[in-house]
Amino acid sequence: KAGVTQTPRYLIKTRGQQVTLSCSPISGHRSVSWYQQTPGQGLQFLFEYFSETQRNKGNFPGRFSGRQFSNSRSEMNVSTLELGDSALYLCASRSLPDSPLHFGNGTRLTVT
Amino acid sequence: TQLLEQSPQFLSIQEGENLTVYCNSSSVFSSLQWYRQEPGEGPVLLVTVVTGGEVKKLKRLTFQFGDARKDSSLHITAAQPGDTGLYLCAGGGGANNLFFGTGTRLTVIP
């Protein structure tokens, strides 16, 4: 069974630009969560989608948004990038809201 | 916000030594999970502890959930270089999002 796939693996953007990250969950998993990981703040929850609906949202500004498609694939968008958005963005999927999380290998975003 | 503090933040030991890392919170959790993350990869779930006082063993790793379900520990016996990584505890979950701890970065020197 293929794991969680995130694309791209690396991304370099300039301040003020926007970026879209993609996540393909494990086949059959309907829940996708996004996390931001930085050395200073650790892993912080962004949002979770289940069956195309946002179930939970973390404490991030509105510049961070996401969506989930009917095939459970998910995208995360960050607009008006700031230097502080440089981080490893991790996607995780699970079959049900209370099942264990399976993480992808992340997208490393660098904002210059 | 439910905070999970892990200690120590960094740990460097020789192969064959034993070690314990801690995960503490002022909040009660219905369950706690432990993950290991290796460079360039996402976290991988090691174990979930649910019952206060529960002890789970995974080969050389022993996990314990505090009686009050506010803290947990991970003990590694005879550490090996393959144990090197970032160890993360996480609480909450279920139908809610997980709160991750600050992490312990372990280096096992051959």
Side-chain angles (χ1 to χ4, degrees):
Chain A
K1 205 177 203 181
V4 177
T5 303
Q6 292 188 244
T7 56
R9 284 299 307 272
Y10 302 93
L11 206 48
I12 300 175
K13 289 287 187 178
T14 304
R15 240 179 341 173
Q17 288 185 315
Q18 74 165 16
V19 67
T20 299
L21 312 182
S22 180
C23 173
S24 292
I26 291 173
S27 178
H29 285 192
R30 295 162 62 191
S31 166
V32 173
S33 299
W34 289 89
Y35 287 82
Q36 181 196 65
Q37 186 174 32
T38 59
Q41 299 296 320
L43 262 165
Q44 292 188 289
F45 172 74
L46 281 156
F47 28 66
E48 179 182 17
Y49 287 86
F50 183 78
S51 295
E52 301 179 69
T53 302
Q54 188 179 90
R55 291 188 64 249
N56 279 309
K57 188 177 188 305
N59 189 25
F60 277 81
R63 301 185 295 107
F64 292 80
S65 63
R67 59 178 175 168
Q68 186 181 34
F69 302 96
S70 58
N71 62 358
S72 294
R73 191 177 70 85
S74 178
E75 287 182 349
M76 190 191 89
N77 185 275
V78 187
S79 62
T80 319
L81 284 166
E82 301 176 0
L83 295 178
D85 296 334
S86 293
L88 180 67
Y89 289 89
L90 291 160
C91 165
S93 75
R94 49 186 174 178
S95 54
L96 294 171
D98 58 351
S99 304
L101 289 172
H102 297 265
F103 283 88
N105 289 334
T107 293
R108 183 162 297 281
L109 171 65
T110 302
V111 182
T112 61
Chain B
T1 303
Q2 297 169 299
L3 295 176
L4 283 163
E5 294 193 9
Q6 292 186 241
S7 61
Q9 189 176 355
F10 298 95
L11 190 55
S12 182
I13 62 171
Q14 295 286 354
E15 181 177 0
E17 292 184 350
N18 301 331
L19 66 111
T20 302
V21 299
Y22 301 91
C23 172
N24 294 293
S25 174
S26 57
S27 301
V28 175
F29 288 97
S30 57
S31 67
L32 269 178
Q33 300 178 4
W34 284 91
Y35 291 79
R36 180 171 67 213
Q37 184 177 18
E38 299 185 25
E41 299 182 6
V44 175
L45 178 66
L46 295 174
V47 76
T48 301
V49 286
V50 178
T51 307
E54 181 178 5
V55 176
K56 278 191 173 178
K57 291 194 174 186
L58 186 66
K59 296 183 182 178
R60 294 176 293 100
L61 279 60
T62 301
F63 304 85
Q64 184 161 9
F65 200 12
D67 291 339
R69 305 205 317 274
K70 292 183 179 181
D71 55 84
S72 181
S73 64
L74 159 59
H75 182 80
I76 301 178
T77 303
Q80 298 177 2
D83 296 327
T84 293
L86 178 66
Y87 287 82
L88 296 159
C89 64
N96 302 309
N97 53 284
L98 277 178
F99 292 97
F100 279 84
T102 48
T104 293
R105 191 167 295 281
L106 171 65
T107 302
V108 181
I109 303 165

